[in-house]
Amino acid sequence: TAFSPSIFLMMFLSAGACDAPPRLQSAELKEEHQSATVFPYNSVVEYVCRPGYVRSSSSRNTLVCGRNNKWHGTKEMCTPKPCSYPGEPDNGRLIQTGTLVFGSSVNFTCQLGYKLVGPSEIHCVLINGIVTWNRDIPICEPIPCLPPPEIANGQHSGAGKALFEYGASVTYWCNKVQRGERPFSLLGDASIFCTTIDNVNGVWNKPAPECKVVNCERPHVENGKLLSGYRADYTYGDTVMFDCIFRYTLTGSGTSTCQENDLWDPPLPLCQLSSCDDPPDVFNAVKAKLAGNLFPVDTVVTYECREGYQFSPGETTRHIKCLPDFTWTETPHPCERVRCQSPDLKNGKPVHIWEVKDNYVYGDRLEIMCNDGYAFKGHRNNVMLQCNSDGSWDPAVPECVPEPRCPKPDTAHGREVYNSKNDYTVGTRLRLACDLGYVLRGQDMTECQADQTWFPPLPFCDKACGPPPPVPNGQHSGAGREQFSYGAEVTYSCAEGLSLIGDASIYCTSDDGVNLEWSGPAPECKVVRCPRPAVERGRMTPQRFTFPYGAAVRFSCDEGFVLQGDAESRCLADGTWHPPLPTCQPVQCPRPSRQEDVMIYTSKSSFEVNETLSFYCKRDVYQTVRPVTTCSANGTWQPPVTCKKRDACEKILQNKEDFQCGVPLTELKTLLEVRKLYLEIQKLEKEL
């Protein structure tokens, strides 16, 4: 059966077909595929790289028609060919945004102060089949400025220089003038430099300065003072600093500078009054609570009168105030002394006529006294009044009352030796003394008190001993006194080198209870020396060369000798030693005392030092070596004469010795029987 073309096309499309392959930037279809418009499923088309591109080694150069009627495969089958690095201009840099390959571009820029000459952008292109840059790189040239402007009456440091590149600077200065002429001032910045606004053309950053004669008036601020900047003439740029004098306040700026228009800027300040003057002094008054020495408007100053003074009776303070015109309100009048009324002296009068006044003021003193026969109540003597700051008298004016008297002293065997008033009124002072042979008991001075008693109490006169008996070549502690009361004691002492013989002290006493006398005669002062004491085979302490009355020495004997007599003796008034001097006798040991177990065979009753004595113990009758004791230097036997009871072990050892020493057996048997009997006796004694 024959198929129509339309049916065949439908069948072809239902199996899958693709439109013409896509047009790629880096590659183009081979010539054999360029004429077809429909490609069946699974058709493969091949591309070749366009000029300026090269096959990618990592991808295929074909596309395949898929079931979804779309071409499959990478479209980046060709990559751009690389361009060489174009380089950077001097004083400039290259701006690269990607890789340097066919179709890319780079830009150039210059450093600050340089301008770009040539293209700012070049492209990587294909020329004659070779990938290269379409233009040469640009260059960076310095941005120039025109020569700096010239100024009148001045010069700059760029004179004679033709080229001024970016960053170059010049400095201006003014010409010097003849002596006596005013100098030129440089107005504006002394230096300018070449810069740019559009990075192409150079311009100077500021206008050139001017050289001009500037003269500001001499600055003056009334009530002010110049702190710094003093000169004979003031020109452009000179600066002055002002402050105000005391009690004036600065209004405006304290610093001002001379400007090019011959004026001060900021304008010179003003000094305005801001305080009253010191408040005036007021006689006999003080200014209280002053807070510093500035007194602005409404300041209040208080005056206080000194102690004992007042503005008016009862008024001691007043005030003044600083007014808006910086003057004080009315100054108070001086403070006057406080007055005291004349004291009312009934039965009294002033002591000194020159103290009497019509008017008494603070600080005045007035001594007053009572008339004869009267005395102040509560006061002993004259009274000194003083006018107080409150107008009163201190103390209060006392009252004169009839004067009390003390009784006349009646002291047996006594008499008055002083009376301050020749009477016995209050305040009278008396001194009393006793007759010869009597001594005063109590205080010799007394005074009549307001309660009409004597104080201290009146003394009495007691019998006394006369001066103690003197001692030739000596003295006593009562020298200079004539009378000594009962119990008084005096002590005697001798001149150097003499000894006091007798009691060193005597005292005033009474044997009959009526008459007083000294307890004994005075001692004597004599030269008393005892002979040097000598004790054979003895020693004396302390060692001395002379032995006056009362000297005491002690004795001891040499080793092997014993002291017989008193160990201490004292030198007596008759030049003898008492007790008598001792003697040193040889030490002897007595015969040892009888002991039950000790046997001693000697007829002597005493033994000399180092003499020995043998003894033996009764239980050791067969002992071959007898113990020995020696008479020691202290009169004792050493070692002591004693027999020690032996224990069982010693007895056994004793038997062993008997065997070893060759005791006959018959005798040994007898010894053993005796010991056996001895043991039985001991046993019976314990049982009983």
Side-chain angles (χ1 to χ4, degrees), residues 167-183:
S169 66
V170 293
T171 301
Y172 287 85
W173 64 87
C174 294
N175 296 333
K176 294 184 178 180
V177 297
Q178 297 295 327
R179 188 170 185 176
E181 295 180 350
R182 291 188 179 276

Side-chain angles (χ1 to χ4, degrees), residues 120-134:
S120 62
E121 183 180 49
I122 60 175
H123 301 273
C124 182
V125 297
L126 188 66
I127 300 176
N128 298 325
I130 299 173
V131 176
T132 184
W133 296 101
N134 66 331

